[in-house]
Amino acid sequence: MPGVYDRKKNSAITRSISPSYSNALSTYFGEQTPDFSMAEGSHNAYVAALEAHGTDVTILPPLSKYPDSCFVEDTAVMIDEKVIISNMGHPSRIGEEVAVLEYLSKEYDIIRMPEKCKLDGGDVVFYDDCFLIGLSTRTNEEGANFLNDEIKKSGYDVKYIKIPESTLHLTTVCSTPRPGTMIMAEGHLNLEEFEFVEEIIKIPNSESYAANVLGYSNDRVIIADDFPVTRRKLMEHGFSITSVDMSPIMQADGSLTCLSVFLK
Ligand code: CIR
């Protein structure tokens, strides 16, 4: 049911860009070597945009050992007051989750996954009171099943979505700008798996990066700069838009949602 699960985005954690960001994984959108100082500029603008929308942002310190560690979304999934800590799906990222766990364990119940489970938080998209879990090169069935059990224990619904190998995560190509609505890039996902969605805003594959947006109350949405078709479509659907230059983050295949874990 739209609006049943209250996701106000009152607070979030992010992590500063790693000094080793030039070694971040860059396979899907990246065309140039990721640039540390340009990414820092985008990260600052990103945090400012979240704060301007009322989110209280905690910035965790950079981890030089982990080039991809600014993408905190992948390390943890919040289900009300409990946190599922990921077993990261890419070998070079294993260990990033420990520093997030240490921070969140001060306030939340922490749940670890058995070793055979693999899951990146980027494969989890919230649609109202339902958690969509992508089965991808980063998230295996064991990881999805473990998360499924924890979500169901908390009384929420789950749907699995098949992610093609040509796509990184579920959240890479779709997101939820408001209750009842999804925005989705064409050509990646099987639409039959989304028949339960009330409204789908489709954007062309040439702008697929822009399918990852951050929705706030009252139809406010943060999007990536420089995607004119997506901007126009969202305006036509009644959204008021703030945009952030995400191109240095895109070079490491990261999107808006990837830079945060929303806590409340
Ligand atoms: C990776 O390949 O793991 C990073 N370079 C990008 C992670 C993006 N995170 C996300 O989509 N949630």
Side-chain angles (χ1 to χ4, degrees):
M1 274 256 293
V4 165
Y5 195 134
D6 184 8
R7 291 195 179 85
K8 289 203 169 72
K9 298 192 170 74
N10 286 332
S11 67
I13 55 167
T14 65
R15 185 179 296 287
S16 296
I17 306 292
S18 170
S20 60
Y21 185 67
S22 60
N23 295 323
L25 299 166
S26 170
T27 308
Y28 299 89
F29 294 115
E31 289 169 347
Q32 293 158 11
T33 304
D35 182 286
F36 167 69
S37 42
M38 289 186 45
E40 267 197 323
S42 280
H43 198 265
N44 291 341
Y46 172 84
V47 170
L50 262 58
E51 288 175 341
H53 284 72
T55 301
D56 181 17
V57 181
T58 298
I59 306 174
L60 300 174
L63 300 175
S64 51
K65 194 173 162 200
Y66 295 105
D68 288 289
S69 50
C70 57
F71 302 120
V72 284
E73 175 181 56
D74 296 321
T75 64
V77 179
M78 300 291 306
I79 311 169
D80 295 331
E81 295 302 307
K82 66 185 177 188
V83 187
I84 315 301
I85 296 291
S86 304
N87 287 346
M88 309 290 293
H90 192 283
S92 73
R93 300 194 60 187
I94 295 170
E96 282 178 32
E97 73 286 1
V98 175
V100 171
L101 181 163
E102 279 163 8
Y103 180 81
L104 291 176
S105 62
K106 292 179 207 150
E107 260 194 75
Y108 295 94
D109 297 333
I110 302 286
I111 297 171
R112 298 295 318 247
M113 310 180 118
E115 216 174 307
K116 60 181 191 239
C117 299
K118 292 281 170 210
L119 180 111
D120 276 6
D123 277 316
V124 182
V125 168
F126 308 109
Y127 173 77
D128 304 331
D129 57 348
C130 181
F131 287 64
L132 313 183
I133 307 178
L135 293 165
S136 71
T137 56
R138 302 287 179 91
T139 297
N140 64 13
E141 268 189 45
E142 289 89 342
N145 291 342
F146 184 84
L147 183 60
N148 175 37
D149 289 347
E150 289 299 332
I151 294 167
K152 296 258 171 76
K153 275 188 221 162
S154 295
Y156 301 111
D157 204 3
V158 174
K159 291 193 194 305
Y160 288 175
I161 308 288
K162 189 114 194 53
I163 312 297
E165 280 195 17
S166 52
T167 302
L168 173 55
H169 289 132
L170 178 60
T171 193
T172 314
V173 287
C174 71
S175 56
T176 315
R178 67 181 161 210
T181 300
M182 292 194 77
I183 177 166
M184 192 176 295
E186 288 177 320
H188 295 261
L189 304 172
N190 178 0
L191 277 175
E192 284 174 13
E193 291 185 294
F194 292 87
E195 273 166 0
F196 58 93
V197 176
E198 282 183 23
E199 175 184 55
I200 299 184
I201 302 173
K202 290 184 211 147
I203 58 167
N205 194 27
S206 56
E207 293 203 2
S208 63
Y209 181 77
N212 181 287
V213 305
L214 280 172
Y216 278 86
S217 58
N218 300 325
D219 293 351
R220 294 170 300 155
V221 71
I222 304 177
I223 70 170
D225 254 353
D226 284 336
F227 293 95
V229 177
T230 306
R231 177 183 285 272
R232 199 190 62 237
K233 285 208 169 195
L234 284 166
M235 284 173 74
E236 284 167 2
H237 281 81
F239 288 94
S240 62
I241 294 171
T242 299
S243 62
V244 176
D245 174 13
M246 291 292 287
S247 47
I249 303 296
M250 179 172 158
Q251 291 307 330
D253 297 334
S255 312
L256 287 156
T257 63
C258 314
L259 293 174
S260 302
V261 180
F262 288 96
L263 303 177
K264 289 171 190 156

